[in-house]
Amino acid sequence: MFTRRLALAAAFATALIGNAEAQDWKAKYPELVFAVVPAENASGVTERYAPFIEYLSKELGTKVTLRVANDYAAVIEGQRAGNIQIAYYGPASYSTAYMTGVKTEPFVTTRNQDGTVGYYSVIYVKTDSPYKEIQDLKGKTIGFVDPNSTSGYNAPRFFLHKAGIDADAFFGKSIITGSHENGVIALDKGTVDCAADWWNSDIDSNLTRMVKKGMVKKEDFRVIFKSGLLAGSPYAYLSDLPPDLKQAIAKAFTDAPTKDKAAFDRLSDGKDKEFVPVTHKDYETTVEMIQFVNDMRKKRS
């Protein structure tokens, strides 16, 4: 009886401590800011994430506010300043944040419906263009998304180099489009001859999402170059958040596919299966890739 009372008392004390800790972080963080890199244009990001932000607010019991960044650097610098507690990065922008001293920790990415984790960088051309292989684009104009984009900048440069092509010397001109959608639009309008973009599968890509929104026609574009598999885009929280808050955030993400399937499915138009845990170790290869591309750029400057 005495042992049972001790056990009950210990459990009660633990519960009180846990509740006190939760109240402590809620007092310190009456609002959590969630920022997203501009994989698509601002209105698209807002519509895609609004239900998930509402779900997170309910699960965490505190206000979560979505911040739509103008560029990738804004998310990196927002976390550096401590103004963004949760960020959705691409592998390259996360790696840049890590390499430049931002105290951020990846905690989940998504698993594709086919069971794979990760995605690809592709280079699109117009279907009716004369270009049949990447070598046909010598001297032409390419649309890159952002210097901190994985699939839209760093991966194509890295994998083209592996294929024996120096992007700076090969293309006649490169244009920074600012978002993946803008890159496809620039290609569609003829502003660029080819455009780098992200691609999960033939039925899940930035292009298929734009098609669903009525922005372009899928048959007007074809892939002329494809990278190797890249690490999945990570969600990352600030490293110095209270441990119980980090645990609560990770649990809310992991539970989302069952607790609010509609909000989870909206993030990917139903193309993702679940969230899976990740750590910095999963991005060590990406860090090496970014360092390589940075070194290439320094040699050119």
Side-chain angles (χ1 to χ4, degrees):
M1 180 65 73
F2 182 71
T3 302
R4 184 170 177 272
R5 284 178 180 173
L6 280 177
L8 287 171
F12 182 67
T14 301
L16 285 177
I17 292 169
N19 185 60
E21 288 177 346
Q23 293 309 314
D24 284 346
W25 72 251
K26 286 181 181 180
K28 186 176 180 181
Y29 297 98
E31 177 186 27
L32 295 170
V33 177
F34 184 135
V36 179
V37 293
E40 59 190 312
N41 297 334
S43 61
V45 173
T46 301
E47 291 172 10
R48 188 174 299 282
Y49 276 87
F52 191 70
I53 294 298
E54 185 178 341
Y55 159 77
L56 283 180
S57 297
K58 182 178 66 177
E59 284 297 298
L60 297 173
T62 195
K63 182 181 180 182
V64 180
T65 300
L66 177 66
R67 181 178 297 176
V68 182
N70 292 325
D71 56 28
Y72 286 65
V75 179
I76 296 171
E77 295 310 314
Q79 281 219 304
R80 189 189 310 281
N83 299 325
I84 295 170
Q85 286 74 45
I86 309 169
Y88 179 51
Y89 285 112
S93 48
Y94 160 72
S95 297
T96 297
Y98 173 84
M99 291 164 67
T100 56
V102 178
K103 304 301 183 183
T104 187
E105 248 180 85
F107 62 97
V108 292
T109 188
T110 51
R111 187 187 305 279
N112 303 320
Q113 284 290 352
D114 64 3
T116 60
V117 174
Y119 66 115
Y120 299 87
S121 170
V122 296
I123 296 176
Y124 285 116
V125 294
K126 290 295 293 292
T127 300
D128 61 3
S129 74
Y131 315 121
K132 303 301 179 187
E133 53 187 36
I134 194 68
Q135 285 76 13
D136 295 335
L137 288 164
K138 184 174 177 60
K140 304 301 179 181
T141 300
I142 185 169
F144 288 124
V145 173
D146 183 288
N148 288 311
S149 170
T150 310
S151 60
Y153 188 91
N154 289 281
R157 283 177 168 271
F158 178 71
F159 283 95
L160 283 171
H161 178 81
K162 290 183 72 172
I165 295 173
D166 180 332
D168 291 316
F170 180 77
F171 294 105
K173 184 180 180 181
S174 64
I175 292 175
I176 298 298
T177 62
S179 78
H180 289 270
E181 286 186 347
N182 286 349
V184 174
I185 291 168
L187 178 57
D188 197 33
K189 290 182 175 180
T191 307
V192 297
D193 300 299
C194 59
D197 207 343
W198 69 264
W199 188 95
N200 282 346
S201 69
D202 191 51
I203 60 169
D204 183 22
S205 64
N206 174 57
L207 178 60
T208 59
R209 293 183 186 183
M210 291 180 70
V211 169
K212 186 175 180 179
K213 289 189 278 188
M215 299 174 72
V216 291
K217 295 179 180 178
K218 186 171 183 287
E219 60 268 23
D220 288 346
F221 306 89
R222 57 183 165 83
V223 173
I224 200 170
F225 184 82
K226 180 181 173 185
S227 75
L229 184 66
L230 306 168
S233 295
Y235 291 85
Y237 40 47
L238 291 177
S239 303
D240 61 0
L241 292 181
D244 53 321
L245 173 53
K246 291 196 282 190
Q247 184 178 4
I249 292 170
K251 186 176 189 306
F253 272 76
T254 304
D255 291 347
T258 53
K259 285 194 170 182
D260 196 335
K261 190 173 187 304
F264 173 74
D265 286 347
R266 183 70 189 90
L267 297 176
S268 67
D269 293 340
K271 298 299 193 298
D272 287 338
K273 186 176 182 180
E274 61 186 347
F275 287 115
V276 292
V278 290
T279 66
H280 174 71
K281 188 173 178 61
D282 295 292
Y283 297 92
E284 288 178 348
T285 300
T286 309
V287 169
E288 292 174 8
M289 180 179 76
I290 303 310
Q291 188 61 61
F292 176 83
V293 173
N294 287 348
D295 290 345
M296 284 177 62
R297 291 169 66 188
K298 286 176 183 175
K299 289 176 183 176
R300 287 285 174 186
S301 61

